[in-house]
Amino acid sequence: MTVFSNPAFDNHERVLFCRDEPTGLCAIIAIHSTALGPAAGGTRLWTYAEDDDALYDVLRLSQGMSYKNAMAGLKFGGGKAVIMKTPGFDGSDALFERFGEFVDTLGGDYITAEDVGMSVEIMETIARKTRYVSGLPLKSGRAGGDPSPKTAYGIYHGIRAAVQARLDRHDLEGLRVAVQGVGHVGYYLCKLLHDAGATLVVSDLDEARVDRACSEFGAERVGGPDILSADVDVLAPCALGAILHEKSIPEIKARIIAGGANNQLRSREDGQRLADAGILYAPDYVINAGGIINVACEYFGDVDDEGVMDLVAQIGPRLAEIFDEAQRTGEPTNVIADRKAQEIITAAA
Ligand code: NAD
């Protein structure tokens, strides 16, 4: 396993390997940058084929959080954690409590919340051992709780901005949108899009989740990877990352890609490939910042739930600026977003 020479290392400040034999905990916490404030980013619970895959994932996600928090105007640096579902993993309270103790050893330099595979209930278990946790149950009128509805709300505003920029349309009526992954974020996004009159095409590895989207929103089901080449106006990846690459991009028919999954591009060059193919790409960490905005408001306790919605809606205009610059300069949108994020972090450091 390579750490310092890992292709995703990118000058991380700290990487903590967490192992607890009695509970079976195997986790990695990565802190990419604390220049803007404590490193904040969710914990992912996932099965990895190799330890290297987990390390690569957490490093990429953590760097993405630095950029996401910077672009969202938050007083947060970037960090992320993964808990590995190893053989015999039992998801016991003791395991998550032990993870909470590891988070606590960092003294507030890392604040955790939900990511794929986690829940509000698990966050409450972690919170028994550390106060550096967010995404806890919502107190009436206050910011907090499951961040995914806010993430979906931000993506919805991002899609509207992209549709205006690329299709010159102000509404989503009759627009065809393919949503890959109808879990937490994908489900709430489908609801918003359905209410706005869009027609949905969906896929998920979990057939029950597809059934729910079909029955509640009249969505059409598509099997497996075919969702990426569906005949739609907008593709909204809301499952896992690295789905946009040299093989998948030529198959894409959508003119816009705007969804919630982190690290959608397999490599930075894929942004150029999308631009060359005439596809408008909403940089993932800009469009999916709604959840972390909610987490920040909960953690700092300075904005109520209504205020969070207003802040999340700003994702639309923020993306519109990037689309505008891409139109003027011909640069890929991911390159513009990376530059803007790096400028904010460098100025703070
Ligand atoms: P989730 O686990 O609730 O849902 C993900 C869904 O994707 C699951 O239903 C899973 O079965 C499905 N899936 C996995 N691989 C698939 C594939 N190849 N094809 C089709 N479906 C597949 O997770 P979530 O919280 O909804 O997060 C979804 C994505 O959004 C992740 O990349 C996550 O990192 C990102 N994200 C989530 C939030 C949030 O607030 N939850 C915030 C920002 C970014």
PDB file of all heavy atoms in Angstrom, residues 44 46 61 68 80 114-117 146-149 151 180-186 203-206 209 224 238-241 260-262 288-289 291-292, ligand 1:
ATOM      1  N   ARG A  44     -17.925   6.907   4.980  1.00  0.00           N
ATOM      2  CA  ARG A  44     -18.511   5.942   4.043  1.00  0.00           C
ATOM      3  C   ARG A  44     -18.323   4.529   4.598  1.00  0.00           C
ATOM      4  O   ARG A  44     -17.211   4.190   5.031  1.00  0.00           O
ATOM      5  CB  ARG A  44     -17.830   6.084   2.677  1.00  0.00           C
ATOM      6  CG  ARG A  44     -18.309   5.075   1.664  1.00  0.00           C
ATOM      7  CD  ARG A  44     -17.805   5.414   0.278  1.00  0.00           C
ATOM      8  NE  ARG A  44     -18.448   6.614  -0.248  1.00  0.00           N
ATOM      9  CZ  ARG A  44     -18.333   7.020  -1.512  1.00  0.00           C
ATOM     10  NH1 ARG A  44     -17.605   6.334  -2.362  1.00  0.00           N
ATOM     11  NH2 ARG A  44     -18.939   8.111  -1.920  1.00  0.00           N
ATOM     12  N   TRP A  46     -18.366   0.774   3.407  1.00  0.00           N
ATOM     13  CA  TRP A  46     -18.357   0.125   2.105  1.00  0.00           C
ATOM     14  C   TRP A  46     -17.485  -1.133   2.122  1.00  0.00           C
ATOM     15  O   TRP A  46     -16.577  -1.244   2.934  1.00  0.00           O
ATOM     16  CB  TRP A  46     -17.830   1.120   1.046  1.00  0.00           C
ATOM     17  CG  TRP A  46     -18.120   0.717  -0.363  1.00  0.00           C
ATOM     18  CD1 TRP A  46     -17.213   0.313  -1.297  1.00  0.00           C
ATOM     19  CD2 TRP A  46     -19.404   0.677  -0.989  1.00  0.00           C
ATOM     20  NE1 TRP A  46     -17.863   0.037  -2.469  1.00  0.00           N
ATOM     21  CE2 TRP A  46     -19.208   0.238  -2.311  1.00  0.00           C
ATOM     22  CE3 TRP A  46     -20.703   0.956  -0.558  1.00  0.00           C
ATOM     23  CZ2 TRP A  46     -20.259   0.075  -3.210  1.00  0.00           C
ATOM     24  CZ3 TRP A  46     -21.757   0.797  -1.449  1.00  0.00           C
ATOM     25  CH2 TRP A  46     -21.520   0.364  -2.761  1.00  0.00           C
ATOM     26  N   LEU A  61     -11.833  11.322  -1.870  1.00  0.00           N
ATOM     27  CA  LEU A  61     -13.038  11.931  -1.299  1.00  0.00           C
ATOM     28  C   LEU A  61     -12.674  13.092  -0.383  1.00  0.00           C
ATOM     29  O   LEU A  61     -13.346  14.133  -0.357  1.00  0.00           O
ATOM     30  CB  LEU A  61     -13.838  10.882  -0.514  1.00  0.00           C
ATOM     31  CG  LEU A  61     -14.528   9.806  -1.356  1.00  0.00           C
ATOM     32  CD1 LEU A  61     -14.937   8.624  -0.488  1.00  0.00           C
ATOM     33  CD2 LEU A  61     -15.746  10.395  -2.064  1.00  0.00           C
ATOM     34  N   LYS A  68     -14.990  21.129  -2.091  1.00  0.00           N
ATOM     35  CA  LYS A  68     -16.426  21.353  -1.929  1.00  0.00           C
ATOM     36  C   LYS A  68     -16.704  22.415  -0.869  1.00  0.00           C
ATOM     37  O   LYS A  68     -17.481  23.345  -1.080  1.00  0.00           O
ATOM     38  CB  LYS A  68     -17.091  20.031  -1.504  1.00  0.00           C
ATOM     39  CG  LYS A  68     -18.599  20.120  -1.415  1.00  0.00           C
ATOM     40  CD  LYS A  68     -19.242  18.892  -0.814  1.00  0.00           C
ATOM     41  CE  LYS A  68     -18.930  17.622  -1.552  1.00  0.00           C
ATOM     42  NZ  LYS A  68     -19.876  16.538  -1.264  1.00  0.00           N
ATOM     43  N   LYS A  80     -12.412  13.123   5.239  1.00  0.00           N
ATOM     44  CA  LYS A  80     -13.374  12.056   4.960  1.00  0.00           C
ATOM     45  C   LYS A  80     -12.912  10.810   5.709  1.00  0.00           C
ATOM     46  O   LYS A  80     -11.728  10.689   6.047  1.00  0.00           O
ATOM     47  CB  LYS A  80     -13.390  11.777   3.440  1.00  0.00           C
ATOM     48  CG  LYS A  80     -14.608  11.057   2.956  1.00  0.00           C
ATOM     49  CD  LYS A  80     -15.736  12.006   2.576  1.00  0.00           C
ATOM     50  CE  LYS A  80     -16.964  11.239   2.130  1.00  0.00           C
ATOM     51  NZ  LYS A  80     -18.053  12.113   1.713  1.00  0.00           N
ATOM     52  N   GLU A 114     -22.877  11.671   7.807  1.00  0.00           N
ATOM     53  CA  GLU A 114     -23.267  10.524   6.979  1.00  0.00           C
ATOM     54  C   GLU A 114     -22.632  10.578   5.578  1.00  0.00           C
ATOM     55  O   GLU A 114     -22.455  11.650   5.023  1.00  0.00           O
ATOM     56  CB  GLU A 114     -24.791  10.492   6.744  1.00  0.00           C
ATOM     57  CG  GLU A 114     -25.627  10.180   7.953  1.00  0.00           C
ATOM     58  CD  GLU A 114     -26.051  11.430   8.709  1.00  0.00           C
ATOM     59  OE1 GLU A 114     -25.442  12.504   8.483  1.00  0.00           O
ATOM     60  OE2 GLU A 114     -26.964  11.332   9.533  1.00  0.00           O
ATOM     61  N   ASP A 115     -22.312   9.407   5.065  1.00  0.00           N
ATOM     62  CA  ASP A 115     -22.081   9.230   3.626  1.00  0.00           C
ATOM     63  C   ASP A 115     -22.711   7.881   3.272  1.00  0.00           C
ATOM     64  O   ASP A 115     -23.502   7.333   4.069  1.00  0.00           O
ATOM     65  CB  ASP A 115     -20.590   9.308   3.278  1.00  0.00           C
ATOM     66  CG  ASP A 115     -20.368   9.382   1.762  1.00  0.00           C
ATOM     67  OD1 ASP A 115     -20.908  10.295   1.117  1.00  0.00           O
ATOM     68  OD2 ASP A 115     -19.682   8.506   1.199  1.00  0.00           O
ATOM     69  N   VAL A 116     -22.359   7.351   2.126  1.00  0.00           N
ATOM     70  CA  VAL A 116     -22.964   6.092   1.660  1.00  0.00           C
ATOM     71  C   VAL A 116     -22.877   5.016   2.754  1.00  0.00           C
ATOM     72  O   VAL A 116     -21.828   4.812   3.361  1.00  0.00           O
ATOM     73  CB  VAL A 116     -22.234   5.597   0.388  1.00  0.00           C
ATOM     74  CG1 VAL A 116     -22.731   4.221  -0.028  1.00  0.00           C
ATOM     75  CG2 VAL A 116     -22.425   6.596  -0.741  1.00  0.00           C
ATOM     76  N   GLY A 117     -23.980   4.348   2.981  1.00  0.00           N
ATOM     77  CA  GLY A 117     -24.014   3.226   3.925  1.00  0.00           C
ATOM     78  C   GLY A 117     -24.268   3.619   5.365  1.00  0.00           C
ATOM     79  O   GLY A 117     -24.427   2.756   6.224  1.00  0.00           O
ATOM     80  N   ASP A 146     -30.636  14.019   8.569  1.00  0.00           N
ATOM     81  CA  ASP A 146     -30.108  13.414   7.354  1.00  0.00           C
ATOM     82  C   ASP A 146     -29.835  14.508   6.309  1.00  0.00           C
ATOM     83  O   ASP A 146     -30.753  15.229   5.912  1.00  0.00           O
ATOM     84  CB  ASP A 146     -31.170  12.425   6.841  1.00  0.00           C
ATOM     85  CG  ASP A 146     -30.806  11.827   5.491  1.00  0.00           C
ATOM     86  OD1 ASP A 146     -29.661  12.013   5.042  1.00  0.00           O
ATOM     87  OD2 ASP A 146     -31.691  11.182   4.901  1.00  0.00           O
ATOM     88  N   PRO A 147     -28.575  14.650   5.868  1.00  0.00           N
ATOM     89  CA  PRO A 147     -28.274  15.733   4.919  1.00  0.00           C
ATOM     90  C   PRO A 147     -28.770  15.474   3.488  1.00  0.00           C
ATOM     91  O   PRO A 147     -28.790  16.393   2.668  1.00  0.00           O
ATOM     92  CB  PRO A 147     -26.750  15.822   4.936  1.00  0.00           C
ATOM     93  CG  PRO A 147     -26.254  14.585   5.585  1.00  0.00           C
ATOM     94  CD  PRO A 147     -27.389  13.893   6.275  1.00  0.00           C
ATOM     95  N   SER A 148     -29.191  14.237   3.180  1.00  0.00           N
ATOM     96  CA  SER A 148     -29.448  13.919   1.770  1.00  0.00           C
ATOM     97  C   SER A 148     -30.602  14.721   1.122  1.00  0.00           C
ATOM     98  O   SER A 148     -30.501  15.056  -0.064  1.00  0.00           O
ATOM     99  CB  SER A 148     -29.626  12.419   1.565  1.00  0.00           C
ATOM    100  OG  SER A 148     -30.642  11.900   2.354  1.00  0.00           O
ATOM    101  N   PRO A 149     -31.684  15.073   1.847  1.00  0.00           N
ATOM    102  CA  PRO A 149     -32.696  15.907   1.178  1.00  0.00           C
ATOM    103  C   PRO A 149     -32.131  17.275   0.751  1.00  0.00           C
ATOM    104  O   PRO A 149     -32.499  17.803  -0.300  1.00  0.00           O
ATOM    105  CB  PRO A 149     -33.784  16.088   2.250  1.00  0.00           C
ATOM    106  CG  PRO A 149     -33.595  14.959   3.195  1.00  0.00           C
ATOM    107  CD  PRO A 149     -32.127  14.671   3.193  1.00  0.00           C
ATOM    108  N   THR A 151     -28.940  17.789   0.003  1.00  0.00           N
ATOM    109  CA  THR A 151     -28.057  17.508  -1.141  1.00  0.00           C
ATOM    110  C   THR A 151     -28.898  17.468  -2.415  1.00  0.00           C
ATOM    111  O   THR A 151     -28.538  18.077  -3.439  1.00  0.00           O
ATOM    112  CB  THR A 151     -27.327  16.158  -0.945  1.00  0.00           C
ATOM    113  OG1 THR A 151     -26.611  16.206   0.287  1.00  0.00           O
ATOM    114  CG2 THR A 151     -26.361  15.873  -2.078  1.00  0.00           C
ATOM    115  N   GLN A 180     -29.018   7.641 -11.900  1.00  0.00           N
ATOM    116  CA  GLN A 180     -28.334   6.379 -11.554  1.00  0.00           C
ATOM    117  C   GLN A 180     -28.177   6.315 -10.038  1.00  0.00           C
ATOM    118  O   GLN A 180     -27.462   7.115  -9.449  1.00  0.00           O
ATOM    119  CB  GLN A 180     -26.938   6.319 -12.194  1.00  0.00           C
ATOM    120  CG  GLN A 180     -26.238   5.001 -11.884  1.00  0.00           C
ATOM    121  CD  GLN A 180     -24.783   4.970 -12.311  1.00  0.00           C
ATOM    122  OE1 GLN A 180     -24.074   5.956 -12.189  1.00  0.00           O
ATOM    123  NE2 GLN A 180     -24.335   3.851 -12.825  1.00  0.00           N
ATOM    124  N   GLY A 181     -28.874   5.376  -9.405  1.00  0.00           N
ATOM    125  CA  GLY A 181     -28.822   5.256  -7.946  1.00  0.00           C
ATOM    126  C   GLY A 181     -29.960   6.031  -7.318  1.00  0.00           C
ATOM    127  O   GLY A 181     -29.963   7.265  -7.331  1.00  0.00           O
ATOM    128  N   VAL A 182     -30.953   5.284  -6.809  1.00  0.00           N
ATOM    129  CA  VAL A 182     -32.094   5.971  -6.176  1.00  0.00           C
ATOM    130  C   VAL A 182     -32.122   5.624  -4.686  1.00  0.00           C
ATOM    131  O   VAL A 182     -33.107   5.156  -4.147  1.00  0.00           O
ATOM    132  CB  VAL A 182     -33.440   5.657  -6.885  1.00  0.00           C
ATOM    133  CG1 VAL A 182     -33.583   6.514  -8.111  1.00  0.00           C
ATOM    134  CG2 VAL A 182     -33.561   4.176  -7.279  1.00  0.00           C
ATOM    135  N   GLY A 183     -30.962   5.855  -4.053  1.00  0.00           N
ATOM    136  CA  GLY A 183     -30.843   5.714  -2.599  1.00  0.00           C
ATOM    137  C   GLY A 183     -31.323   6.989  -1.949  1.00  0.00           C
ATOM    138  O   GLY A 183     -32.318   7.588  -2.366  1.00  0.00           O
ATOM    139  N   HIS A 184     -30.607   7.442  -0.941  1.00  0.00           N
ATOM    140  CA  HIS A 184     -31.042   8.649  -0.218  1.00  0.00           C
ATOM    141  C   HIS A 184     -31.149   9.856  -1.149  1.00  0.00           C
ATOM    142  O   HIS A 184     -32.217  10.431  -1.327  1.00  0.00           O
ATOM    143  CB  HIS A 184     -30.057   8.962   0.913  1.00  0.00           C
ATOM    144  CG  HIS A 184     -30.185   8.046   2.081  1.00  0.00           C
ATOM    145  ND1 HIS A 184     -29.555   6.833   2.139  1.00  0.00           N
ATOM    146  CD2 HIS A 184     -30.886   8.166   3.233  1.00  0.00           C
ATOM    147  CE1 HIS A 184     -29.851   6.243   3.290  1.00  0.00           C
ATOM    148  NE2 HIS A 184     -30.663   7.024   3.964  1.00  0.00           N
ATOM    149  N   VAL A 185     -30.007  10.230  -1.748  1.00  0.00           N
ATOM    150  CA  VAL A 185     -29.981  11.442  -2.581  1.00  0.00           C
ATOM    151  C   VAL A 185     -30.847  11.261  -3.825  1.00  0.00           C
ATOM    152  O   VAL A 185     -31.672  12.124  -4.165  1.00  0.00           O
ATOM    153  CB  VAL A 185     -28.522  11.785  -2.977  1.00  0.00           C
ATOM    154  CG1 VAL A 185     -28.490  12.941  -3.967  1.00  0.00           C
ATOM    155  CG2 VAL A 185     -27.705  12.111  -1.750  1.00  0.00           C
ATOM    156  N   GLY A 186     -30.649  10.132  -4.524  1.00  0.00           N
ATOM    157  CA  GLY A 186     -31.367   9.885  -5.777  1.00  0.00           C
ATOM    158  C   GLY A 186     -32.875   9.905  -5.590  1.00  0.00           C
ATOM    159  O   GLY A 186     -33.611  10.457  -6.414  1.00  0.00           O
ATOM    160  N   SER A 203     -32.118   3.654 -12.373  1.00  0.00           N
ATOM    161  CA  SER A 203     -31.509   2.333 -12.172  1.00  0.00           C
ATOM    162  C   SER A 203     -30.934   2.283 -10.768  1.00  0.00           C
ATOM    163  O   SER A 203     -30.588   3.313 -10.180  1.00  0.00           O
ATOM    164  CB  SER A 203     -30.405   2.063 -13.189  1.00  0.00           C
ATOM    165  OG  SER A 203     -29.212   2.682 -12.784  1.00  0.00           O
ATOM    166  N   ASP A 204     -30.867   1.077 -10.216  1.00  0.00           N
ATOM    167  CA  ASP A 204     -30.225   0.862  -8.907  1.00  0.00           C
ATOM    168  C   ASP A 204     -29.903  -0.614  -8.800  1.00  0.00           C
ATOM    169  O   ASP A 204     -30.594  -1.444  -9.403  1.00  0.00           O
ATOM    170  CB  ASP A 204     -31.149   1.301  -7.758  1.00  0.00           C
ATOM    171  CG  ASP A 204     -30.380   1.511  -6.468  1.00  0.00           C
ATOM    172  OD1 ASP A 204     -29.852   0.528  -5.911  1.00  0.00           O
ATOM    173  OD2 ASP A 204     -30.283   2.663  -6.015  1.00  0.00           O
ATOM    174  N   LEU A 205     -28.862  -0.926  -8.047  1.00  0.00           N
ATOM    175  CA  LEU A 205     -28.545  -2.344  -7.814  1.00  0.00           C
ATOM    176  C   LEU A 205     -29.619  -2.975  -6.937  1.00  0.00           C
ATOM    177  O   LEU A 205     -29.831  -4.183  -6.980  1.00  0.00           O
ATOM    178  CB  LEU A 205     -27.184  -2.465  -7.105  1.00  0.00           C
ATOM    179  CG  LEU A 205     -25.968  -1.881  -7.832  1.00  0.00           C
ATOM    180  CD1 LEU A 205     -24.719  -2.061  -6.990  1.00  0.00           C
ATOM    181  CD2 LEU A 205     -25.792  -2.540  -9.201  1.00  0.00           C
ATOM    182  N   ASP A 206     -30.290  -2.146  -6.160  1.00  0.00           N
ATOM    183  CA  ASP A 206     -31.332  -2.603  -5.240  1.00  0.00           C
ATOM    184  C   ASP A 206     -32.696  -2.450  -5.938  1.00  0.00           C
ATOM    185  O   ASP A 206     -33.207  -1.342  -6.101  1.00  0.00           O
ATOM    186  CB  ASP A 206     -31.243  -1.734  -3.973  1.00  0.00           C
ATOM    187  CG  ASP A 206     -32.250  -2.135  -2.915  1.00  0.00           C
ATOM    188  OD1 ASP A 206     -33.252  -2.786  -3.271  1.00  0.00           O
ATOM    189  OD2 ASP A 206     -32.024  -1.785  -1.748  1.00  0.00           O
ATOM    190  N   ARG A 209     -35.569  -0.445  -4.450  1.00  0.00           N
ATOM    191  CA  ARG A 209     -35.485   1.015  -4.581  1.00  0.00           C
ATOM    192  C   ARG A 209     -35.975   1.473  -5.962  1.00  0.00           C
ATOM    193  O   ARG A 209     -36.595   2.518  -6.103  1.00  0.00           O
ATOM    194  CB  ARG A 209     -34.052   1.484  -4.325  1.00  0.00           C
ATOM    195  CG  ARG A 209     -33.684   1.321  -2.866  1.00  0.00           C
ATOM    196  CD  ARG A 209     -32.307   1.829  -2.522  1.00  0.00           C
ATOM    197  NE  ARG A 209     -32.203   1.926  -1.069  1.00  0.00           N
ATOM    198  CZ  ARG A 209     -31.121   2.316  -0.414  1.00  0.00           C
ATOM    199  NH1 ARG A 209     -30.037   2.663  -1.084  1.00  0.00           N
ATOM    200  NH2 ARG A 209     -31.117   2.386   0.889  1.00  0.00           N
ATOM    201  N   GLY A 224     -28.807  -1.901 -15.120  1.00  0.00           N
ATOM    202  CA  GLY A 224     -27.368  -1.728 -14.939  1.00  0.00           C
ATOM    203  C   GLY A 224     -26.757  -0.507 -15.595  1.00  0.00           C
ATOM    204  O   GLY A 224     -27.305   0.588 -15.532  1.00  0.00           O
ATOM    205  N   CYS A 238     -26.091   9.402  -9.210  1.00  0.00           N
ATOM    206  CA  CYS A 238     -26.305   9.522  -7.756  1.00  0.00           C
ATOM    207  C   CYS A 238     -25.957   8.212  -7.056  1.00  0.00           C
ATOM    208  O   CYS A 238     -26.565   7.869  -6.035  1.00  0.00           O
ATOM    209  CB  CYS A 238     -27.754   9.902  -7.456  1.00  0.00           C
ATOM    210  SG  CYS A 238     -28.202  11.549  -8.033  1.00  0.00           S
ATOM    211  N   ALA A 239     -24.989   7.475  -7.624  1.00  0.00           N
ATOM    212  CA  ALA A 239     -24.561   6.221  -6.990  1.00  0.00           C
ATOM    213  C   ALA A 239     -23.107   6.405  -6.547  1.00  0.00           C
ATOM    214  O   ALA A 239     -22.846   7.176  -5.643  1.00  0.00           O
ATOM    215  CB  ALA A 239     -24.746   5.051  -7.944  1.00  0.00           C
ATOM    216  N   LEU A 240     -22.198   5.725  -7.224  1.00  0.00           N
ATOM    217  CA  LEU A 240     -20.792   5.853  -6.833  1.00  0.00           C
ATOM    218  C   LEU A 240     -19.995   6.601  -7.894  1.00  0.00           C
ATOM    219  O   LEU A 240     -20.535   6.948  -8.953  1.00  0.00           O
ATOM    220  CB  LEU A 240     -20.196   4.467  -6.573  1.00  0.00           C
ATOM    221  CG  LEU A 240     -20.796   3.747  -5.363  1.00  0.00           C
ATOM    222  CD1 LEU A 240     -20.098   2.424  -5.132  1.00  0.00           C
ATOM    223  CD2 LEU A 240     -20.724   4.592  -4.092  1.00  0.00           C
ATOM    224  N   GLY A 241     -18.693   6.817  -7.627  1.00  0.00           N
ATOM    225  CA  GLY A 241     -17.881   7.659  -8.501  1.00  0.00           C
ATOM    226  C   GLY A 241     -17.229   6.906  -9.653  1.00  0.00           C
ATOM    227  O   GLY A 241     -17.521   5.736  -9.910  1.00  0.00           O
ATOM    228  N   GLY A 260     -25.392  13.861  -7.966  1.00  0.00           N
ATOM    229  CA  GLY A 260     -24.840  13.973  -6.623  1.00  0.00           C
ATOM    230  C   GLY A 260     -23.633  13.131  -6.303  1.00  0.00           C
ATOM    231  O   GLY A 260     -22.964  13.383  -5.298  1.00  0.00           O
ATOM    232  N   ALA A 261     -23.324  12.103  -7.094  1.00  0.00           N
ATOM    233  CA  ALA A 261     -22.219  11.209  -6.732  1.00  0.00           C
ATOM    234  C   ALA A 261     -20.910  11.980  -6.625  1.00  0.00           C
ATOM    235  O   ALA A 261     -20.666  12.918  -7.391  1.00  0.00           O
ATOM    236  CB  ALA A 261     -22.088  10.098  -7.772  1.00  0.00           C
ATOM    237  N   ASN A 262     -20.085  11.591  -5.672  1.00  0.00           N
ATOM    238  CA  ASN A 262     -18.765  12.201  -5.533  1.00  0.00           C
ATOM    239  C   ASN A 262     -17.809  11.582  -6.545  1.00  0.00           C
ATOM    240  O   ASN A 262     -17.938  10.410  -6.898  1.00  0.00           O
ATOM    241  CB  ASN A 262     -18.228  11.942  -4.122  1.00  0.00           C
ATOM    242  CG  ASN A 262     -18.850  12.878  -3.100  1.00  0.00           C
ATOM    243  OD1 ASN A 262     -18.893  14.097  -3.302  1.00  0.00           O
ATOM    244  ND2 ASN A 262     -19.352  12.325  -2.014  1.00  0.00           N
ATOM    245  N   ASN A 288     -23.130  19.052  -5.389  1.00  0.00           N
ATOM    246  CA  ASN A 288     -23.641  18.195  -4.307  1.00  0.00           C
ATOM    247  C   ASN A 288     -23.310  18.721  -2.909  1.00  0.00           C
ATOM    248  O   ASN A 288     -23.298  17.962  -1.941  1.00  0.00           O
ATOM    249  CB  ASN A 288     -23.189  16.741  -4.499  1.00  0.00           C
ATOM    250  CG  ASN A 288     -21.710  16.539  -4.247  1.00  0.00           C
ATOM    251  OD1 ASN A 288     -21.028  17.395  -3.685  1.00  0.00           O
ATOM    252  ND2 ASN A 288     -21.194  15.385  -4.639  1.00  0.00           N
ATOM    253  N   ALA A 289     -23.103  20.047  -2.797  1.00  0.00           N
ATOM    254  CA  ALA A 289     -22.683  20.623  -1.513  1.00  0.00           C
ATOM    255  C   ALA A 289     -23.832  20.867  -0.529  1.00  0.00           C
ATOM    256  O   ALA A 289     -23.596  21.297   0.604  1.00  0.00           O
ATOM    257  CB  ALA A 289     -21.931  21.930  -1.765  1.00  0.00           C
ATOM    258  N   GLY A 291     -25.685  18.956   1.275  1.00  0.00           N
ATOM    259  CA  GLY A 291     -25.614  18.190   2.520  1.00  0.00           C
ATOM    260  C   GLY A 291     -24.590  18.780   3.482  1.00  0.00           C
ATOM    261  O   GLY A 291     -24.848  18.911   4.674  1.00  0.00           O
ATOM    262  N   ILE A 292     -23.429  19.164   2.958  1.00  0.00           N
ATOM    263  CA  ILE A 292     -22.388  19.683   3.854  1.00  0.00           C
ATOM    264  C   ILE A 292     -22.756  21.098   4.326  1.00  0.00           C
ATOM    265  O   ILE A 292     -22.382  21.504   5.420  1.00  0.00           O
ATOM    266  CB  ILE A 292     -20.975  19.612   3.202  1.00  0.00           C
ATOM    267  CG1 ILE A 292     -19.875  19.774   4.263  1.00  0.00           C
ATOM    268  CG2 ILE A 292     -20.790  20.630   2.097  1.00  0.00           C
ATOM    269  CD1 ILE A 292     -19.685  18.603   5.168  1.00  0.00           C
TER     270      ILE A 292
HETATM  271  P1  NAD B   1     -27.084   5.608  -0.744  1.00  0.00           P
HETATM  272  O1  NAD B   1     -26.230   4.467  -0.309  1.00  0.00           O
HETATM  273  O2  NAD B   1     -28.283   5.946   0.049  1.00  0.00           O
HETATM  274  O3  NAD B   1     -27.559   5.401  -2.259  1.00  0.00           O
HETATM  275  C1  NAD B   1     -26.708   4.999  -3.274  1.00  0.00           C
HETATM  276  C2  NAD B   1     -27.515   4.059  -4.164  1.00  0.00           C
HETATM  277  O4  NAD B   1     -26.755   3.764  -5.323  1.00  0.00           O
HETATM  278  C3  NAD B   1     -27.847   2.724  -3.499  1.00  0.00           C
HETATM  279  O5  NAD B   1     -29.250   2.505  -3.573  1.00  0.00           O
HETATM  280  C4  NAD B   1     -27.060   1.694  -4.301  1.00  0.00           C
HETATM  281  O6  NAD B   1     -27.717   0.452  -4.401  1.00  0.00           O
HETATM  282  C5  NAD B   1     -26.965   2.398  -5.633  1.00  0.00           C
HETATM  283  N1  NAD B   1     -25.876   1.945  -6.490  1.00  0.00           N
HETATM  284  C6  NAD B   1     -24.600   1.651  -6.174  1.00  0.00           C
HETATM  285  N2  NAD B   1     -23.906   1.309  -7.276  1.00  0.00           N
HETATM  286  C7  NAD B   1     -24.770   1.397  -8.322  1.00  0.00           C
HETATM  287  C8  NAD B   1     -24.655   1.176  -9.713  1.00  0.00           C
HETATM  288  N3  NAD B   1     -23.514   0.786 -10.269  1.00  0.00           N
HETATM  289  N4  NAD B   1     -25.751   1.388 -10.484  1.00  0.00           N
HETATM  290  C9  NAD B   1     -26.927   1.771  -9.954  1.00  0.00           C
HETATM  291  N5  NAD B   1     -27.090   1.999  -8.627  1.00  0.00           N
HETATM  292  C10 NAD B   1     -26.028   1.805  -7.823  1.00  0.00           C
HETATM  293  O7  NAD B   1     -26.082   6.875  -0.856  1.00  0.00           O
HETATM  294  P2  NAD B   1     -26.468   8.408  -0.957  1.00  0.00           P
HETATM  295  O8  NAD B   1     -26.321   9.023   0.380  1.00  0.00           O
HETATM  296  O9  NAD B   1     -27.715   8.577  -1.713  1.00  0.00           O
HETATM  297  O10 NAD B   1     -25.244   8.957  -1.827  1.00  0.00           O
HETATM  298  C11 NAD B   1     -25.200   8.775  -3.231  1.00  0.00           C
HETATM  299  C12 NAD B   1     -23.972   9.478  -3.802  1.00  0.00           C
HETATM  300  O11 NAD B   1     -24.028  10.875  -3.478  1.00  0.00           O
HETATM  301  C13 NAD B   1     -22.631   8.985  -3.241  1.00  0.00           C
HETATM  302  O12 NAD B   1     -21.635   9.079  -4.229  1.00  0.00           O
HETATM  303  C14 NAD B   1     -22.323   9.986  -2.132  1.00  0.00           C
HETATM  304  O13 NAD B   1     -20.953  10.076  -1.848  1.00  0.00           O
HETATM  305  C15 NAD B   1     -22.853  11.246  -2.765  1.00  0.00           C
HETATM  306  N6  NAD B   1     -23.208  12.288  -1.820  1.00  0.00           N
HETATM  307  C16 NAD B   1     -24.137  12.042  -0.865  1.00  0.00           C
HETATM  308  C17 NAD B   1     -24.501  13.074  -0.008  1.00  0.00           C
HETATM  309  C18 NAD B   1     -25.572  12.877   1.030  1.00  0.00           C
HETATM  310  O14 NAD B   1     -26.068  13.886   1.555  1.00  0.00           O
HETATM  311  N7  NAD B   1     -25.973  11.660   1.333  1.00  0.00           N
HETATM  312  C19 NAD B   1     -23.875  14.336  -0.101  1.00  0.00           C
HETATM  313  C20 NAD B   1     -22.951  14.533  -1.118  1.00  0.00           C
HETATM  314  C21 NAD B   1     -22.605  13.508  -1.979  1.00  0.00           C
END
